[in-house]
Amino acid sequence: MPGVSNRTLLRPLALTSLIANIALVVTGAAVRLTKSGLGCPTWPRCTDESYTTTPEMGINGVIEFGNRVLGIVLGLIALAALVAALLEKPRRRSLIILALAAGLGIPGQGVIGGITVLTDLNPWVVGLHFLLSMTLIALTYALWKRTREGDRPRRTLVPTPLPTLARLTALISAAVIVVGVIVTGSGPHAGDAGARRNGLDPELVSQAHADLVFLLIGLSVALWYALRAVKAPRAAIRAAGILVVVELAQGLIGFIQYFTHLPVILVAAHMLGACLVWVATLNVLWSLRERPFHEARPAPAPVALEPTEPATPTPVA
């Protein structure tokens, strides 16, 4: 079918970019949790004399430099995806815009990462670094999904109130992530022993975060039941069910890490879980609509045949 992007390299490149952005969050967590945030104490160089780590910098320098290298790899993947979008036949502006936006976010990440180092791991800048990753995950997910869609007007597959409920759920999901960033900035894992925290009460912001999580799970369960009630497409019901399961798993990790005083391995798992919750949220939104490549043509009406009179039998002499 003309215009189907998965016949080119764009679809696998978009998926690779999505996975790489999630991996960048995980490696960023490793940088922070191993106190390697200042493993390379300056930027854009790793030291005043070298762009790469040196043996004297030890394992912390290797971890921080490895995270920077992954950012470069991510930029190359994004560039390849943009080139693939430009080579699409026919060329589709929506794919080019998404690929370009995702590509521009990578140097943006580098600059914010540099500011993070130059401000000695200011917790608000570190939080902005994470939120930009969430934005890039959304962009690359959208690019991946759009390669299977056309550019016709969007068509909703469920009754009108349900997309509104899904958008509200997505809004609360985003709020959970933002407040989670604030919780992280008030906690003990600063990325370096000398880095300051945001000064907020960890218990207070953790409670606000937990309240939002309960609200998110409640909305997600309600959405799942509503989709089943209206006999929505199976893909939409499945997407909502996956979201609930991922949220419950993430909530369990969050509670365990809180009551066990934030062990490193659980904090890393929680950051990966945040990415998975966000992707599952986006999956629900996309499952409720479609964009066909071509307008659906109504089936031709059956032609009514006029009844014919039976032939008069010829009399036999």
Side-chain angles (χ1 to χ4, degrees):
M1 180 185 297
V4 180
S5 301
N6 62 330
R7 291 186 179 178
T8 71
L9 288 175
L10 180 56
R11 184 170 177 80
L13 281 171
L15 180 59
T16 302
S17 187
L18 171 62
I19 295 172
N21 274 287
I22 295 174
L24 188 66
V25 171
V26 176
T27 59
V31 169
R32 186 169 63 86
L33 296 171
T34 58
K35 302 186 185 302
S36 303
L38 296 177
C40 289
T42 187
W43 186 89
R45 299 189 180 196
C46 196
T47 70
D48 290 335
E49 296 80 23
S50 174
Y51 283 97
T52 62
T53 185
T54 62
E56 293 77 18
M57 301 172 70
I59 187 62
N60 289 343
V62 172
I63 293 173
E64 164 63 7
F65 181 71
N67 185 246
R68 294 188 183 189
V69 170
L70 180 58
I72 295 172
V73 173
L74 194 58
L76 295 175
I77 296 171
L79 178 61
L82 177 59
V83 172
L86 291 169
L87 295 177
E88 280 288 294
K89 299 296 182 182
R91 184 175 294 176
R92 298 171 59 193
R93 187 172 65 174
S94 59
L95 297 181
I96 295 172
I97 291 174
L98 284 171
L100 180 61
L104 291 176
I106 306 304
Q109 277 285 53
V111 171
I112 294 176
I115 296 173
T116 299
V117 172
L118 297 176
T119 57
D120 295 327
L121 307 183
N122 181 293
W124 299 106
V125 181
V126 172
L128 181 61
H129 201 38
F130 179 80
L131 292 178
L132 181 53
S133 285
M134 294 295 105
T135 302
L136 291 175
I137 287 173
L139 287 171
T140 51
Y141 182 86
L143 177 62
W144 178 58
K145 295 293 286 188
R146 290 288 284 124
T147 58
R148 281 282 179 90
E149 294 183 330
D151 289 318
R152 295 293 183 181
R154 188 169 55 194
R155 187 162 59 207
T156 303
L157 302 176
V158 294
T160 302
L162 293 184
T164 302
L165 177 57
R167 286 191 288 269
L168 176 60
T169 303
L171 179 63
I172 299 302
S173 182
V176 167
I177 291 172
V178 172
V179 177
V181 168
I182 298 174
V183 172
T184 299
S186 69
H189 298 296
D192 185 78
R196 65 184 180 89
R197 313 313 288 138
N198 60 25
L200 299 177
D201 182 357
E203 187 172 345
L204 183 63
V205 289
S206 294
Q207 184 60 57
H209 181 62
D211 292 341
L212 283 172
V213 169
F214 282 125
L215 177 59
L216 175 61
I217 293 175
L219 289 172
S220 301
V221 171
L223 179 61
W224 179 70
Y225 272 111
L227 290 171
R228 288 173 57 89
V230 300
K231 294 181 171 56
R234 185 175 301 178
I237 297 173
R238 183 172 60 249
I242 291 172
L243 175 60
V244 172
V245 171
V246 174
E247 287 170 350
L248 290 174
Q250 173 74 338
L252 179 61
I253 294 172
F255 277 107
I256 293 175
Q257 73 165 4
Y258 180 78
F259 290 110
T260 55
H261 307 292
L262 304 176
V264 167
I265 187 65
L266 288 183
V267 175
H270 201 54
M271 292 188 71
L272 173 61
C275 297
L276 298 181
V277 168
W278 186 228
V279 170
T281 302
L282 298 172
N283 187 38
V284 171
L285 292 176
W286 285 81
S287 70
L288 303 182
R289 31 79 87 208
E290 66 177 2
R291 286 179 185 266
F293 280 99
H294 304 286
E295 291 286 0
R297 296 181 180 179
V303 178
L305 300 176
E306 295 185 3
T308 57
E309 295 183 3
T312 303
T314 303
V316 178

